[in-house]
Amino acid sequence: MDQKISVMKFGGTSVGDADCIKRAASIVIDAARTGPLVVVVSAMSGITNRLIDAAHASANGETNAAGALAATLRDQHVAAIKILVSGQEAASQLTVEIEKIIGEVEDLCRGTALLRELTPRALDSISSAGERLSARLLAQAICELGCHAKAVDATELIVTDNTSGRAEPLTVETRQRTITRLTPLLESHSVPVVTGFVGATTEGTLTTLGRGGSDYSATILGAALDAGEVIIWTDVDGVLTADPRLVPDARTLQEISYNEAAELAYFGAKVLHPKTLRPVSEAGIPVWIRNSFAPERPGTQITTTGHPTARGVKAITAIGDVSLITVGGRGIVGVLGVAARTFTAAATAQANVLLISQSSSENDICFIINSVDEARTVAELRRAFAFDLAHKEVEHISVDSDIAIVAVVGDRMRGMPGIAGRTFSVLGRRGINIIAIAQGSSEYNVSFVVQAGSMRDAVQSLHSEFGLQRPADRVE
Ligand code: ADP
Ligand code: ASP
Ligand code: MG
């Protein structure tokens, strides 16, 4: 292929209903005119949550959850077919395909309800059905506009390890399969519309990449195809200086670096899955975040240098739904390997440690994880320290779920010692109590923990302290 391939990913809101799918299809058509294109698509918005809820309801023995789910899927997707597809034959063929997928998910949920057990494999299969449905709708919508398109299941392309729910891609195998499968389509000027969020092991077992993982699918394929660019179409104008739901006057950033984007995603900027930049940063493949509802706007470009600005700070981000776990007690200093055992327990519970913090007392070890991992992690810690707790060597394992992490992010912050000082004095002036400060965080952020109730105030006051609502002066 002479010309570099573009990879475009459409998120759930960008394919949320028939009008959105039409808009996405016309963006695809415009791009397909200028060069080879691979499309990645998420489930229609709300569908993945609906699938996961039905899977859990089935596991609780709710036998009618399967039927109710099937009805919802049918309503939403068949309604879209009626609007999107003009020919009778094409519409009925697509409806048959959609019904087949819905039937399979319904069977999986019924089986789950009978067994009253939801295996990780079954959850992967159920939760990924939304992408199988949306890929077929979008492919047909593109065909309706006069361009060849074909839905392709990413199980044929992205080879992963066998970690259900958060699988990792195997680069060499993925590259080989992707090139073999997609090249003939591209050469015949057909646009592959690939299901986001999924992959399969070398043995062919379906896996998923984690919630919001379609962004990751796009960059995995971008790297595999040595793409010229990856464009992530979403419902905002790009990466903003803060979550627009927290800061109404947040501004769109023109250009940020891979490091800045990765840091923002890691600390809660939902616009990107935290692993999105991994596959493309080394190869320097630019990633764009653009608004599918306003495709005339330029969006944010993510590059190696990210065009530094004079003020250093680029954005403020925050994550709620996290828990601070403390292992502590007066005797802890003398207990052998407490830190090692603590983090081994967290790893055994498969909890991702978001940050390790400093507490007021040096006798405590504190760390933060996502609240969904809390119960498992605490149980694992209690098991690991059972003897020490019984002998009062470790006095408590406590949990605070009413907290949030706030991070101030920017590439050039490390040369600017005043930033941490300004950050903490603003919070002091606002009367916001800092529960802990991150230890060993990267040079690209200053992060700290506050009460959940102070999160919005902390983000807003830092956003205005660093003047992020105004355009920044660039540094050449
Ligand atoms: P998609 O369905 O396209 O994957 P998501 O809902 O996953 O979209 O991500 C887009 C949302 O991320 C935006 O609507 C916005 O509310 C939220 N968001 C949080 N932080 C940021 C940020 N710093 N910049 C842009 N959007 C952000
Ligand atoms: N549909 C999946 C989810 O909701 C993946 C994605 O949207 O990126 O998590
Ligand atoms: Mg997303």
Side-chain angles (χ1 to χ4, degrees), residues 313-334:
V313 175
K314 285 264 183 88
I316 315 291
T317 186
I319 337 182
D321 294 330
V322 287
S323 303
L324 176 73
I325 300 198
T326 308
V327 177
R330 263 168 294 132
I332 209 164
V333 183

Side-chain angles (χ1 to χ4, degrees), residues 19-292:
D19 282 344
C20 295
I21 295 176
K22 272 190 192 165
R23 206 176 297 119
S26 72
I27 291 173
V28 170
I29 293 283
D30 286 347
R33 283 201 191 102
T34 63
L37 182 67
V38 171
V39 171
V40 175
V41 68
S42 293
M44 291 173 91
S45 57
I47 291 293
T48 311
N49 285 345
R50 187 74 187 75
L51 289 160
I52 293 172
D53 289 349
H56 288 294
S58 302
N60 289 332
E62 289 177 34
T63 46
N64 53 2
L69 171 70
T72 309
L73 295 177
R74 204 166 280 131
D75 275 357
Q76 202 159 332
H77 294 86
V78 173
I81 293 177
K82 286 200 182 115
I83 301 170
L84 289 171
V85 188
S86 49
Q88 187 66 42
E89 202 186 314
S92 55
Q93 206 175 326
L94 182 57
T95 309
V96 169
E97 276 188 62
I98 295 289
E99 285 294 349
K100 183 169 175 278
I101 297 166
I102 295 174
E104 284 171 19
V105 189
E106 197 177 353
D107 288 348
L108 280 167
C109 285
R110 280 197 207 291
T112 301
L114 282 175
L115 294 169
R116 287 190 174 234
E117 189 196 1
L118 181 61
T119 62
R121 263 193 190 194
L123 181 59
D124 275 345
S125 293
I126 296 169
S127 62
S128 59
E131 273 73 10
R132 293 173 68 200
L133 297 167
S134 62
R136 281 149 181 88
L137 289 187
L138 180 57
Q140 184 57 38
I142 297 168
C143 294
E144 294 283 318
L145 297 183
C147 178
H148 285 293
K150 183 164 175 45
V152 177
D153 286 329
T155 46
E156 295 183 57
L157 312 177
I158 298 180
V159 185
T160 71
D161 63 13
N162 61 3
T163 325
S164 293
R166 51 174 134 187
E168 278 300 331
L170 307 179
T171 313
V172 176
E173 294 83 342
T174 299
R175 174 183 283 268
Q176 193 239 322
R177 278 208 202 169
T178 303
I179 291 172
T180 311
R181 176 73 175 92
L182 298 189
T183 306
L185 283 174
L186 292 167
E187 279 174 353
S188 63
H189 301 287
S190 184
V191 178
V193 181
V194 181
T195 55
F197 184 47
V198 291
T201 63
T202 35
E203 293 79 33
T205 305
L206 185 147
T207 53
T208 55
L209 306 177
R211 292 306 308 272
S214 299
D215 301 327
Y216 195 25
S217 309
T219 52
I220 292 169
L221 294 178
L225 293 163
D226 195 17
E229 62 181 3
V230 175
I231 304 175
I232 294 179
W233 292 96
T234 183
D235 62 348
V236 283
D237 284 349
V239 177
L240 307 189
T241 48
D243 184 338
R245 293 165 298 186
L246 291 176
V247 181
D249 60 356
R251 239 175 12 88
T252 308
L253 292 156
Q254 279 179 24
E255 190 177 338
I256 58 172
S257 70
Y258 293 119
N259 289 330
E260 288 169 332
E263 210 69 29
L264 283 168
Y266 185 78
F267 285 109
K270 191 182 170 231
V271 66
L272 284 174
H273 183 275
K275 294 177 190 162
T276 310
L277 284 319
R278 280 189 202 171
V280 285
S281 55
E282 204 172 313
I285 300 171
V287 176
W288 290 88
I289 314 298
R290 298 184 61 181
N291 191 343
S292 70

Side-chain angles (χ1 to χ4, degrees), residues 11 40 43 48 56 150 187 269 311 320 337 358 362 386 416 433 443 447 459 462:
V40 175
T48 311
H56 288 294
K150 183 164 175 45
E187 279 174 353
R311 67 177 159 227
Q358 229 167 23
E362 33 178 83
M416 299 185 178
N433 181 35
E443 301 143 334
S447 48
V459 173
L462 287 166

